[in-house]
Amino acid sequence: MVRNGRSPRIKHLSWGRIEVEGGRTFKDAKLWPGGVREWDWNETGTHHRPGIQPTDVEELLEHGAEVVVLSKGILQALQVCPETLELLKNKGIPAHVLQTEGAVRLYNELAEEQCAAGLFHSTC
C-alpha cells in the first residue's frame, strides 16, 4: 500500500514486468489511490477478447478513482468491453484507453494531481 491514499507510480515497464514504487513487481497490475495488486484475469474471466470487463474496474472505483487508465497491452491485443466504458461514463469517471507504454506515461502524469487508477497489461 502507498501512504496517504496517493496513487502509486509505475517505476519501470518491460515485457512481462511492471515495477511499482516500493519495489513491488507484477505481470499485470491494478493501481488505485492508496494501493496496488496483481491483476489476475482469472478472477473475472477476462480474456483479450472481449477484453476488460466492468468487474475489472469496479475495484478501482471502490478505492476512489477519479480518472481511470486502461492499457491495451504492448501489442494492443487486449480489448475493452463497451460495457466497461459505459459503466465509467455513467459514473462520471473519465477513461483513457491506450497502448501500455502510453498508458503508463499518462497514468503517472495524472497521478501527480488526481486520484488516478489503472489496469496495466505488460505483454501482448
Side-chain angles (χ1 to χ4, degrees):
M1 289 293 247
V2 174
R3 290 178 302 243
N4 302 327
R6 186 176 59 78
S7 299
R9 304 314 185 273
I10 296 173
K11 294 300 204 179
H12 177 77
L13 169 71
S14 58
W15 186 270
R17 186 172 184 271
I18 298 168
E19 182 181 341
V20 178
E21 65 184 349
R24 294 185 63 192
T25 60
F26 307 94
K27 176 181 176 256
D28 296 321
K30 283 187 167 191
L31 291 88
W32 60 81
V36 59
R37 74 175 182 92
E38 183 74 32
W39 177 21
D40 181 354
W41 291 18
N42 293 318
E43 292 175 0
T44 58
T46 297
H47 300 281
H48 288 101
R49 288 188 174 89
I52 298 172
Q53 312 282 318
T55 52
D56 290 318
V57 300
E58 286 173 356
E59 182 176 7
L60 306 179
L61 301 177
E62 290 168 6
H63 288 288
E66 296 174 351
V67 59
V68 171
V69 178
L70 304 174
S71 75
K72 299 192 300 182
I74 303 290
L75 303 177
Q76 302 191 65
L78 178 59
Q79 297 182 355
V80 179
C81 292
E83 298 85 359
T84 303
L85 297 176
E86 189 67 24
L87 169 71
L88 293 168
K89 180 181 174 185
N90 289 341
K91 294 198 176 276
I93 305 294
H96 303 275
V97 179
L98 300 161
Q99 184 271 353
T100 300
E101 283 115 341
V104 166
R105 279 191 297 275
L106 178 61
Y107 168 82
N108 280 339
E109 289 172 19
L110 292 171
E112 290 294 322
E113 298 192 10
Q114 297 182 52
C115 291
L119 299 175
F120 298 92
H121 180 41
S122 71
T123 58
C124 47

